[in-house]
Amino acid sequence: MGEVALEGMEFFAYHGYYEEEQKIGNKYEVNFAITTEFEKAAEQDVLSGTVNYEILYQVIKEQMAIPSKMLEHVGHRIIEETFERFPEIKSAKIEISKFNPPVRGVCERARVTIREER
């Protein structure tokens, strides 16, 4: 068992509780890690023995393109979609950061972190 992670992914998306956020969009950073069995990939040097992180990236990209009010909702959708596509995934952790959130003060980013197991 081990971890496969994608870190520092950046997307421009239209998430936000306020109507203005949904219209103008914002920059987001996503970090995503899954735990899975990958001994076959380690021992035999074959892609079929692990979770293909290129496909993981596409799942995240697709879900980030769907506007949502809450980052918690986006993160949950991403995890659920990866669980559906990859039954071998045991757990997942996602961090989604919104740059310059509307807090009426100085704040570089707001972040939600979600961990789910099955």
Side-chain angles (χ1 to χ4, degrees):
M1 178 97 51
E3 181 176 277
V4 174
L6 293 172
E7 299 178 344
M9 295 174 280
E10 290 188 8
F11 301 95
F12 192 86
Y14 296 88
H15 308 305
Y17 179 77
Y18 299 107
E19 189 175 324
E20 182 178 321
E21 293 178 283
Q22 296 168 17
K23 288 181 182 176
I24 64 172
N26 202 344
K27 184 172 106 173
Y28 295 84
E29 179 182 78
V30 178
N31 297 310
F32 189 65
I34 56 105
T35 56
T36 188
E37 299 287 343
F38 57 61
E39 285 77 16
K40 183 177 177 185
E43 293 171 2
Q44 300 176 18
D45 200 22
V46 293
L47 181 58
S48 63
T50 190
V51 173
N52 184 330
Y53 56 75
E54 185 177 12
I55 297 172
L56 281 178
Y57 180 87
Q58 288 305 314
V59 169
I60 295 163
K61 182 179 177 183
E62 289 167 9
Q63 293 299 318
M64 285 298 293
I66 301 169
S68 298
K69 291 181 181 176
M70 307 300 296
L71 294 180
E72 293 86 344
H73 182 66
V74 179
H76 178 71
R77 275 199 336 259
I78 290 169
I79 290 174
E80 290 300 307
E81 183 66 22
T82 57
F83 280 174
E84 185 175 316
R85 290 198 193 185
F86 299 98
E88 63 271 28
I89 293 175
K90 307 295 183 204
S91 67
K93 175 185 172 186
I94 190 163
E95 297 174 335
I96 304 176
S97 298
K98 175 190 287 191
F99 288 83
N100 302 308
V103 296
R104 297 185 183 160
V106 177
C107 181
E108 182 179 315
R109 62 180 91 183
R111 180 179 68 216
V112 299
T113 302
I114 303 169
R115 293 174 189 83
E116 293 187 23
E117 295 182 15
R118 51 168 154 187

